[in-house]
Amino acid sequence: MVKDLTVDRSFDAYQDFVLKCKLAWTRQLYPALKSQYDATVAERAAAGAPVPADHTEVAAALADNPLAQYFGWFERHLQRMKYSGLHGLEPHFAGRREQLAEDLKAGAESGLVDLDPAFEQPGYYVAVDIHQQPGGVWSDEVGGYIYERGARTTTPLLASDADLHHRFTREVLARASGAKRLVDLGCGFGKSSRPFYRQHSELDVVGVEVSAPCLTLAARTAAEDQARNVRFRQADAADTGLDAAAFDVVTSTMLLHEMPPPHIERLLHESHRLLAPGGLSIHLDFLTDEDPFRRYIHYGHSARNNEPFMPPLNEMDIAGAHRQAGFESVEVVPFEEMPGALAPGFDAWRFPFVMIIARKAA
Ligand SMILES: C[S@@+](CC[C@H](N)C(=O)[O-])C[C@H]1O[C@@H](n2cnc3c(N)ncnc32)[C@H](O)[C@@H]1O
């Protein structure tokens, strides 16, 4: 029997194992840690001792707690396992480099992507291997594939990761009836742009992204979709080179937490410039409330997943930064990434998703 080289059951089994471990971390370890923490707080309160007032005091209270140590270790190392080892993403895709490079030609030659060979990556972006992906999502020609496959085990409670993007697309278009031109900043390998261009032929969509491997994969997928209403462009979201007032909607999905606050401020000025009068700006990202435990978990995730700008985003005055950039009526609205995620009884780990919504004056 001839072996089918496109099927790799060992790789699939290993990545499925990582996913199942992440599920156990999300559904079992997180609520268990939360209840141990609540018990510690209750004991302290009963003894008249001070209870943690912020995330640093939560960290101090849990420093010697074995479950807290295990929880952090498990998150850090599961993410590392995803990429490394015999069936990790890195060796898997490196071993198929030639075949994949050939496959990507359909993207590069589709006419749907505008790459800039002289593009210089922002300094903050190359300073860490984001998500622990070795070399980041930009330095390897197969980096887009690695990112795409890795993203499938990032939010394990979502039946399909795509569901989140469909939900966000609906939220955006519910606030932008009649929109014709939309720009998706930090579009990655196109997952966030796809529901817009695929299900809304009335829209012209531009995806902007710094990573050429991600853009080429986005264009390959769009070519396969036979899309006519999307273009991808290699540029910094804070300096897109696109025409002023050319868009009805500016969106981003999980981009802001990847950049330092001064870069976010530049991006907001650029977004304001790109929008036509009355245009909508809407960013899906992560902001925790004041709850010390939730903040401790979110900041810990930031460190463990090599995403250093989550805390600065959380602490900057994001509404004020929008107003500084010229926006009106800024609001921050919780985002329900799956049914029940915002219900009081929901006790699994989740990202603190919010939509940051603003308008340019009409
Ligand atoms: C977490 S990913 C989200 C990708 C996509 N929006 C999605 O939802 O799947 C953030 C993306 O932003 C890109 N990025 C980071 N800094 C950027 C910048 N200054 N300009 C454009 N894209 C940027 C990264 O390369 C990455 O692909």
Side-chain angles (χ1 to χ4, degrees), residues 75-152:
E75 183 182 26
R76 174 81 182 164
H77 289 278
L78 264 183
Q79 187 70 4
R80 187 181 58 74
M81 277 174 66
K82 192 194 272 199
Y83 296 107
S84 59
L86 187 59
H87 300 298
L89 296 167
E90 277 290 318
H92 179 82
F93 286 99
R96 289 157 177 75
R97 189 178 298 283
E98 262 178 47
Q99 183 186 332
L100 294 173
E102 190 58 32
D103 191 48
L104 278 176
K105 280 191 187 157
E109 294 165 5
S110 63
L112 299 181
V113 62
D114 187 4
L115 297 178
D116 175 1
F119 183 75
E120 277 187 34
Q121 301 292 344
Y124 75 83
Y125 184 69
V126 297
V128 289
D129 284 351
I130 196 94
H131 310 148
Q132 293 197 52
Q133 180 166 330
V137 305
W138 61 278
S139 67
D140 182 336
E141 64 182 330
V142 298
Y145 288 99
I146 296 173
Y147 181 21
E148 190 280 328
R149 186 65 180 82
R152 294 191 221 164

Coordinates of all heavy atoms in Angstrom, one line a residue, residues 75-152:
E75 N 0.2 26.0 31.3 CA -0.2 26.9 30.2 C 1.1 27.2 29.4 O 1.0 27.2 28.2 CB -0.8 28.2 30.8 CG -1.2 29.1 29.6 CD -1.8 30.5 30.1 OE1 -1.5 30.9 31.2 OE2 -2.6 31.1 29.3
R76 N 2.1 27.6 30.1 CA 3.4 27.9 29.4 C 3.9 26.8 28.5 O 4.2 26.9 27.4 CB 4.4 28.3 30.4 CG 5.8 28.6 29.9 CD 5.9 30.0 29.3 NE 7.2 30.3 28.7 CZ 7.5 31.3 27.9 NH1 6.5 32.1 27.6 NH2 8.7 31.5 27.4
H77 N 3.9 25.6 29.1 CA 4.5 24.5 28.5 C 3.6 23.8 27.4 O 4.1 23.2 26.5 CB 5.1 23.5 29.5 CG 6.3 24.1 30.1 ND1 7.6 24.1 29.6 CD2 6.4 24.8 31.3 CE1 8.4 24.8 30.3 NE2 7.7 25.2 31.3
L78 N 2.3 23.9 27.6 CA 1.4 23.3 26.6 C 1.6 24.1 25.3 O 1.7 23.6 24.2 CB 0.0 23.5 27.0 CG -0.7 22.3 27.6 CD1 -2.2 22.7 27.9 CD2 -0.6 21.1 26.8
Q79 N 1.8 25.4 25.4 CA 2.0 26.3 24.3 C 3.3 25.9 23.6 O 3.4 25.9 22.4 CB 1.9 27.7 24.7 CG 1.9 28.8 23.6 CD 0.7 28.8 22.8 OE1 -0.3 28.1 23.0 NE2 0.7 29.6 21.7
R80 N 4.3 25.7 24.4 CA 5.6 25.3 23.9 C 5.5 24.0 23.2 O 6.0 23.8 22.1 CB 6.7 25.2 25.0 CG 8.1 25.0 24.5 CD 9.0 24.9 25.7 NE 8.7 23.9 26.7 CZ 8.9 22.6 26.4 NH1 9.5 22.2 25.3 NH2 8.6 21.7 27.3
M81 N 4.8 23.0 23.8 CA 4.6 21.7 23.2 C 4.0 21.7 21.8 O 4.2 20.9 20.9 CB 3.8 20.8 24.1 CG 4.5 20.2 25.2 SD 3.3 19.3 26.3 CE 2.7 18.0 25.2
K82 N 3.1 22.7 21.7 CA 2.3 22.8 20.4 C 3.3 23.0 19.2 O 3.1 22.4 18.2 CB 1.5 24.1 20.6 CG 0.4 24.3 19.6 CD -0.1 25.7 19.6 CE -1.2 26.0 20.5 NZ -1.9 27.2 20.2
Y83 N 4.4 23.7 19.5 CA 5.3 24.0 18.4 C 6.5 23.0 18.2 O 7.0 22.9 17.2 CB 5.9 25.4 18.6 CG 4.9 26.5 18.5 CD1 4.5 27.2 19.6 CD2 4.3 26.8 17.3 CE1 3.5 28.2 19.6 CE2 3.3 27.8 17.2 CZ 2.9 28.5 18.4 OH 2.0 29.5 18.3
S84 N 6.9 22.4 19.4 CA 8.1 21.7 19.3 C 7.9 20.2 19.5 O 6.8 19.7 19.6 CB 9.0 22.2 20.5 OG 8.4 22.0 21.7
G85 N 9.0 19.4 19.4 CA 8.9 18.0 19.6 C 8.7 17.3 18.2 O 8.4 18.0 17.2
L86 N 8.7 16.0 18.2 CA 8.6 15.3 16.9 C 7.4 15.7 16.1 O 7.5 15.8 14.9 CB 8.6 13.8 17.2 CG 8.6 12.8 16.1 CD1 9.9 13.0 15.3 CD2 8.6 11.4 16.6
H87 N 6.2 15.9 16.8 CA 5.0 16.2 16.1 C 4.5 17.6 16.3 O 3.3 17.9 16.2 CB 3.9 15.2 16.4 CG 4.3 13.8 16.1 ND1 4.5 13.4 14.8 CD2 4.6 12.7 16.9 CE1 4.9 12.1 14.8 NE2 4.9 11.7 16.0
G88 N 5.5 18.5 16.7 CA 5.1 19.9 16.9 C 4.9 20.6 15.5 O 5.2 20.1 14.5
L89 N 4.3 21.8 15.6 CA 4.0 22.5 14.4 C 5.3 22.9 13.6 O 5.2 22.8 12.3 CB 3.3 23.8 14.7 CG 1.9 23.6 15.4 CD1 1.4 24.9 16.0 CD2 0.9 23.1 14.4
E90 N 6.3 23.2 14.3 CA 7.6 23.6 13.6 C 8.1 22.5 12.7 O 8.2 22.7 11.5 CB 8.6 24.1 14.6 CG 8.5 25.5 15.0 CD 8.8 26.5 14.0 OE1 9.7 26.4 13.2 OE2 8.0 27.5 13.9
P91 N 8.5 21.4 13.3 CA 9.0 20.3 12.4 C 8.0 19.8 11.3 O 8.4 19.5 10.2 CB 9.4 19.2 13.3 CG 8.8 19.5 14.6 CD 8.5 21.0 14.7
H92 N 6.7 19.8 11.7 CA 5.7 19.3 10.8 C 5.7 20.2 9.5 O 5.7 19.7 8.4 CB 4.3 19.4 11.4 CG 3.2 18.9 10.5 ND1 2.9 17.6 10.3 CD2 2.4 19.6 9.8 CE1 2.0 17.5 9.5 NE2 1.6 18.7 9.1
F93 N 5.7 21.5 9.7 CA 5.6 22.4 8.5 C 6.9 22.5 7.8 O 7.0 22.7 6.6 CB 4.9 23.7 8.9 CG 3.4 23.5 9.1 CD1 2.9 23.4 10.4 CD2 2.5 23.4 8.0 CE1 1.5 23.3 10.6 CE2 1.2 23.2 8.2 CZ 0.7 23.1 9.5
A94 N 8.0 22.5 8.6 CA 9.3 22.6 8.0 C 9.6 21.5 7.1 O 10.1 21.6 6.0 CB 10.4 22.7 9.1
G95 N 9.1 20.3 7.5 CA 9.2 19.1 6.6 C 8.4 19.1 5.4 O 8.6 18.3 4.5
R96 N 7.5 20.1 5.2 CA 6.7 20.2 4.0 C 6.9 21.5 3.3 O 6.1 22.0 2.6 CB 5.2 20.1 4.4 CG 4.8 18.7 4.9 CD 3.6 18.7 5.7 NE 3.2 17.3 6.0 CZ 3.8 16.5 6.9 NH1 4.9 17.0 7.5 NH2 3.4 15.3 7.1
R97 N 8.1 22.1 3.6 CA 8.3 23.5 3.1 C 8.2 23.6 1.6 O 7.5 24.5 1.1 CB 9.8 23.9 3.6 CG 10.1 25.3 3.3 CD 11.5 25.6 3.8 NE 11.6 25.4 5.3 CZ 11.1 26.2 6.2 NH1 10.6 27.3 5.9 NH2 11.3 25.9 7.5
E98 N 8.8 22.7 0.9 CA 8.8 22.8 -0.6 C 7.4 22.7 -1.1 O 6.9 23.6 -1.9 CB 9.6 21.7 -1.2 CG 11.0 22.1 -1.5 CD 11.8 20.9 -2.1 OE1 11.2 20.2 -3.0 OE2 12.9 20.8 -1.7
Q99 N 6.6 21.7 -0.6 CA 5.3 21.5 -1.1 C 4.4 22.7 -0.7 O 3.6 23.2 -1.5 CB 4.8 20.3 -0.3 CG 3.4 19.8 -0.6 CD 3.1 18.6 0.4 OE1 4.0 17.9 0.9 NE2 1.8 18.4 0.7
L100 N 4.6 23.3 0.5 CA 3.8 24.4 0.9 C 4.2 25.7 0.1 O 3.3 26.5 -0.2 CB 3.9 24.6 2.4 CG 3.3 23.5 3.2 CD1 3.7 23.7 4.7 CD2 1.8 23.4 3.0
A101 N 5.5 25.9 -0.1 CA 5.9 27.0 -0.9 C 5.3 27.0 -2.2 O 4.8 28.1 -2.8 CB 7.4 27.1 -1.0
E102 N 5.2 25.8 -2.8 CA 4.5 25.7 -4.1 C 3.0 26.1 -4.0 O 2.5 26.8 -4.8 CB 4.7 24.2 -4.5 CG 4.3 23.9 -5.9 CD 5.1 24.6 -7.0 OE1 6.2 25.0 -6.8 OE2 4.4 24.9 -8.1
D103 N 2.4 25.6 -2.9 CA 1.0 25.8 -2.7 C 0.8 27.3 -2.5 O -0.2 27.9 -3.0 CB 0.7 25.1 -1.4 CG -0.8 25.1 -1.1 OD1 -1.6 24.7 -2.0 OD2 -1.2 25.4 0.0
L104 N 1.7 28.0 -1.9 CA 1.5 29.5 -1.6 C 1.6 30.3 -2.9 O 1.2 31.5 -2.9 CB 2.6 30.0 -0.6 CG 2.3 29.7 0.9 CD1 3.4 30.1 1.7 CD2 1.0 30.4 1.3
K105 N 2.2 29.7 -3.9 CA 2.3 30.5 -5.2 C 0.9 31.0 -5.7 O 0.8 32.0 -6.2 CB 3.0 29.7 -6.3 CG 4.5 29.6 -6.2 CD 5.0 29.0 -7.4 CE 6.5 28.8 -7.2 NZ 7.1 27.7 -8.1
A106 N -0.1 30.1 -5.4 CA -1.5 30.5 -5.8 C -1.9 31.8 -5.1 O -2.7 32.6 -5.7 CB -2.4 29.4 -5.4
G107 N -1.3 32.0 -3.9 CA -1.7 33.3 -3.2 C -0.8 34.4 -3.8 O -1.4 35.5 -4.2
A108 N 0.5 34.2 -3.9 CA 1.4 35.3 -4.3 C 1.0 35.7 -5.7 O 1.1 36.9 -6.1 CB 2.8 34.8 -4.3
E109 N 0.5 34.8 -6.6 CA 0.2 35.1 -8.0 C -1.2 35.4 -8.2 O -1.7 35.6 -9.4 CB 0.7 34.0 -8.9 CG 2.2 33.8 -8.8 CD 2.7 32.5 -9.4 OE1 1.9 31.7 -9.9 OE2 3.9 32.2 -9.3
S110 N -2.0 35.5 -7.1 CA -3.5 35.7 -7.3 C -3.9 37.1 -7.7 O -5.0 37.3 -8.2 CB -4.2 35.4 -6.0 OG -3.7 36.3 -5.0
G111 N -2.9 38.1 -7.5 CA -3.3 39.5 -7.8 C -4.1 40.0 -6.6 O -4.5 41.2 -6.7
L112 N -4.2 39.3 -5.5 CA -5.0 39.7 -4.4 C -4.1 40.3 -3.3 O -4.7 40.8 -2.3 CB -5.9 38.6 -3.8 CG -6.9 38.0 -4.8 CD1 -7.7 36.9 -4.1 CD2 -7.9 39.0 -5.3
V113 N -2.8 40.2 -3.4 CA -2.0 40.6 -2.4 C -0.9 41.6 -2.9 O -0.3 41.3 -3.9 CB -1.4 39.4 -1.6 CG1 -0.5 38.5 -2.4 CG2 -0.6 39.9 -0.3
D114 N -0.7 42.6 -2.1 CA 0.3 43.6 -2.5 C 1.4 43.6 -1.4 O 1.2 44.1 -0.3 CB -0.4 45.0 -2.4 CG 0.4 46.1 -2.9 OD1 1.5 45.8 -3.4 OD2 -0.1 47.3 -2.9
L115 N 2.5 42.9 -1.7 CA 3.6 42.7 -0.7 C 4.6 43.8 -1.0 O 4.8 44.3 -2.1 CB 4.3 41.4 -0.9 CG 3.4 40.2 -0.5 CD1 4.2 38.9 -0.7 CD2 2.8 40.2 0.9
D116 N 5.3 44.2 0.1 CA 6.3 45.3 0.0 C 7.7 44.7 0.4 O 8.0 44.6 1.6 CB 5.9 46.4 1.0 CG 6.9 47.5 1.0 OD1 7.9 47.4 0.3 OD2 6.7 48.5 1.8
P117 N 8.5 44.4 -0.6 CA 9.8 43.7 -0.3 C 10.7 44.6 0.6 O 11.6 44.1 1.3 CB 10.4 43.5 -1.7 CG 9.3 43.8 -2.7 CD 8.3 44.6 -2.0
A118 N 10.5 45.9 0.6 CA 11.3 46.8 1.4 C 10.7 47.1 2.8 O 11.2 47.8 3.5 CB 11.5 48.1 0.6
F119 N 9.6 46.4 3.1 CA 8.9 46.6 4.3 C 9.8 46.3 5.5 O 10.4 45.2 5.6 CB 7.6 45.8 4.4 CG 6.8 46.1 5.6 CD1 6.1 47.3 5.8 CD2 6.8 45.2 6.7 CE1 5.4 47.6 6.9 CE2 6.1 45.5 7.9 CZ 5.4 46.7 8.0
E120 N 9.9 47.2 6.5 CA 10.6 46.9 7.7 C 9.7 46.7 8.8 O 8.8 47.5 9.1 CB 11.5 48.1 8.0 CG 12.8 48.1 7.3 CD 13.8 49.1 7.7 OE1 13.8 49.5 8.9 OE2 14.5 49.6 6.8
Q121 N 9.8 45.5 9.5 CA 8.9 45.2 10.6 C 9.1 46.2 11.7 O 10.2 46.6 12.0 CB 9.2 43.8 11.1 CG 9.0 42.7 10.0 CD 7.6 42.5 9.6 OE1 6.6 42.9 10.2 NE2 7.4 41.8 8.5
P122 N 8.0 46.5 12.4 CA 8.2 47.4 13.6 C 9.1 46.7 14.7 O 9.0 45.5 14.8 CB 6.7 47.5 14.1 CG 5.8 47.1 13.1 CD 6.6 46.2 12.2
G123 N 9.9 47.5 15.4 CA 10.8 47.0 16.4 C 10.1 46.2 17.5 O 10.6 45.1 17.8
Y124 N 9.0 46.6 18.0 CA 8.3 45.9 19.0 C 7.8 44.5 18.6 O 7.8 43.6 19.4 CB 7.0 46.7 19.5 CG 5.9 46.6 18.6 CD1 5.0 45.5 18.6 CD2 5.6 47.6 17.6 CE1 3.9 45.4 17.7 CE2 4.6 47.5 16.7 CZ 3.7 46.4 16.8 OH 2.7 46.3 15.9
Y125 N 7.6 44.4 17.3 CA 7.0 43.2 16.7 C 8.0 42.1 16.6 O 7.7 40.9 16.8 CB 6.5 43.6 15.3 CG 5.7 42.5 14.6 CD1 4.5 42.0 15.1 CD2 6.3 41.9 13.4 CE1 3.8 41.0 14.4 CE2 5.6 40.9 12.7 CZ 4.4 40.5 13.2 OH 3.7 39.5 12.5
V126 N 9.3 42.4 16.3 CA 10.3 41.4 16.2 C 11.1 41.1 17.5 O 11.9 40.3 17.5 CB 11.3 41.8 15.1 CG1 10.6 41.9 13.7 CG2 12.0 43.1 15.4
A127 N 10.7 41.9 18.5 CA 11.5 41.8 19.8 C 11.1 40.5 20.6 O 11.9 40.0 21.4 CB 11.2 43.0 20.7
V128 N 9.9 40.0 20.4 CA 9.6 38.7 21.0 C 8.9 37.8 20.0 O 8.4 38.2 19.0 CB 8.5 38.9 22.2 CG1 9.1 39.6 23.4 CG2 7.3 39.6 21.7
D129 N 9.0 36.5 20.3 CA 8.3 35.5 19.5 C 6.9 35.4 20.0 O 6.6 34.6 20.9 CB 9.1 34.1 19.5 CG 10.3 34.1 18.7 OD1 10.6 35.0 18.0 OD2 11.1 33.1 18.9
I130 N 6.1 36.1 19.3 CA 4.7 36.2 19.8 C 4.0 34.8 19.8 O 4.3 34.0 19.0 CB 3.9 37.2 18.8 CG1 2.6 37.6 19.4 CG2 3.7 36.6 17.4 CD1 2.7 38.9 20.1
H131 N 3.2 34.6 20.8 CA 2.5 33.3 21.1 C 3.5 32.2 21.3 O 3.1 31.0 21.3 CB 1.6 32.9 19.9 CG 0.7 33.9 19.4 ND1 0.3 34.0 18.1 CD2 0.0 34.9 20.1 CE1 -0.6 35.0 17.9 NE2 -0.7 35.6 19.1
Q132 N 4.8 32.5 21.5 CA 5.9 31.5 21.6 C 6.1 30.8 20.2 O 6.8 29.8 20.2 CB 5.5 30.4 22.6 CG 5.5 30.8 24.1 CD 5.6 29.6 25.0 OE1 6.5 28.8 24.8 NE2 4.7 29.5 25.9
Q133 N 5.6 31.3 19.2 CA 5.9 30.7 17.8 C 7.3 31.0 17.5 O 7.7 32.2 17.3 CB 4.9 31.2 16.8 CG 5.2 30.6 15.4 CD 4.1 30.8 14.4 OE1 2.9 30.9 14.7 NE2 4.5 30.9 13.1
P134 N 8.2 30.0 17.3 CA 9.6 30.3 17.1 C 9.8 31.2 15.8 O 9.2 30.8 14.8 CB 10.2 28.9 16.9 CG 9.3 28.0 17.7 CD 7.9 28.6 17.5
G135 N 10.4 32.3 16.0 CA 10.6 33.2 14.8 C 9.4 34.1 14.6 O 9.4 34.8 13.6
G136 N 8.4 34.1 15.5 CA 7.2 34.8 15.3 C 6.4 34.3 14.1 O 6.7 33.3 13.5
V137 N 5.4 35.1 13.7 CA 4.5 34.6 12.6 C 4.9 35.2 11.3 O 4.2 35.1 10.3 CB 3.0 35.0 12.9 CG1 2.5 34.4 14.2 CG2 2.7 36.5 12.8
W138 N 6.1 35.8 11.2 CA 6.5 36.6 10.1 C 7.8 36.2 9.4 O 8.0 36.5 8.2 CB 6.6 38.1 10.4 CG 7.7 38.3 11.5 CD1 7.6 38.1 12.8 CD2 9.1 38.6 11.3 NE1 8.8 38.3 13.5 CE2 9.7 38.7 12.5 CE3 9.8 38.9 10.1 CZ2 11.1 39.0 12.7 CZ3 11.2 39.3 10.3 CH2 11.8 39.3 11.6
S139 N 8.7 35.5 10.1 CA 10.1 35.3 9.6 C 10.2 34.1 8.7 O 11.3 33.9 8.1 CB 11.1 35.3 10.8 OG 10.9 34.2 11.5
D140 N 9.3 33.2 8.7 CA 9.4 31.9 8.0 C 8.4 31.9 6.9 O 7.2 32.2 7.2 CB 9.2 30.7 9.0 CG 9.4 29.4 8.4 OD1 9.3 29.2 7.2 OD2 9.7 28.4 9.1
E141 N 8.7 31.4 5.7 CA 7.7 31.5 4.6 C 6.5 30.6 4.9 O 5.4 30.9 4.4 CB 8.4 31.1 3.3 CG 8.9 29.7 3.3 CD 9.5 29.3 1.9 OE1 9.2 29.8 0.9 OE2 10.4 28.4 2.0
V142 N 6.7 29.6 5.8 CA 5.5 28.8 6.1 C 4.9 29.2 7.5 O 4.0 28.5 8.0 CB 5.8 27.2 6.1 CG1 6.3 26.8 4.8 CG2 6.9 26.9 7.2
G143 N 5.3 30.4 7.9 CA 4.8 30.9 9.2 C 3.3 31.0 9.3 O 2.7 30.9 10.4
G144 N 2.7 31.4 8.2 CA 1.2 31.5 8.1 C 0.5 30.2 8.4 O -0.5 30.2 9.1
Y145 N 1.1 29.1 7.8 CA 0.4 27.8 8.1 C 0.6 27.4 9.5 O -0.3 26.8 10.1 CB 1.1 26.7 7.2 CG 0.8 26.8 5.7 CD1 1.7 27.4 4.9 CD2 -0.4 26.3 5.2 CE1 1.4 27.5 3.5 CE2 -0.7 26.4 3.9 CZ 0.2 27.0 3.0 OH -0.1 27.0 1.7
I146 N 1.8 27.7 10.1 CA 2.0 27.3 11.5 C 1.0 28.1 12.4 O 0.4 27.5 13.3 CB 3.5 27.6 11.9 CG1 4.4 26.7 11.0 CG2 3.7 27.4 13.4 CD1 5.9 27.0 11.2
Y147 N 0.9 29.4 12.1 CA 0.0 30.2 12.9 C -1.5 29.7 12.7 O -2.2 29.6 13.7 CB 0.1 31.6 12.4 CG -0.7 32.6 13.1 CD1 -1.3 32.4 14.4 CD2 -1.0 33.9 12.5 CE1 -2.1 33.3 15.0 CE2 -1.8 34.8 13.2 CZ -2.3 34.5 14.4 OH -3.1 35.4 15.1
E148 N -1.9 29.4 11.5 CA -3.2 28.9 11.3 C -3.5 27.7 12.0 O -4.6 27.5 12.7 CB -3.4 28.7 9.7 CG -4.9 28.5 9.3 CD -5.4 27.0 9.6 OE1 -4.6 26.1 9.5 OE2 -6.6 26.9 9.9
R149 N -2.6 26.7 12.0 CA -2.9 25.4 12.7 C -2.8 25.6 14.2 O -3.6 25.0 14.9 CB -1.8 24.4 12.2 CG -2.1 23.0 12.7 CD -3.4 22.4 12.2 NE -3.6 21.0 12.7 CZ -4.1 20.7 13.9 NH1 -4.5 21.7 14.7 NH2 -4.3 19.5 14.2
G150 N -1.9 26.5 14.6 CA -1.7 26.7 16.1 C -2.9 27.4 16.7 O -3.3 27.1 17.8
A151 N -3.6 28.3 15.9 CA -4.7 29.0 16.4 C -5.9 28.1 16.7 O -6.7 28.5 17.5 CB -5.1 30.1 15.4
R152 N -5.9 26.9 16.1 CA -7.0 26.0 16.4 C -7.1 25.5 17.8 O -8.1 24.9 18.2 CB -7.0 24.9 15.4 CG -7.2 25.3 13.9 CD -7.4 24.1 13.0 NE -6.7 24.3 11.8 CZ -6.5 23.3 11.0 NH1 -6.9 22.0 11.3 NH2 -5.9 23.5 9.8

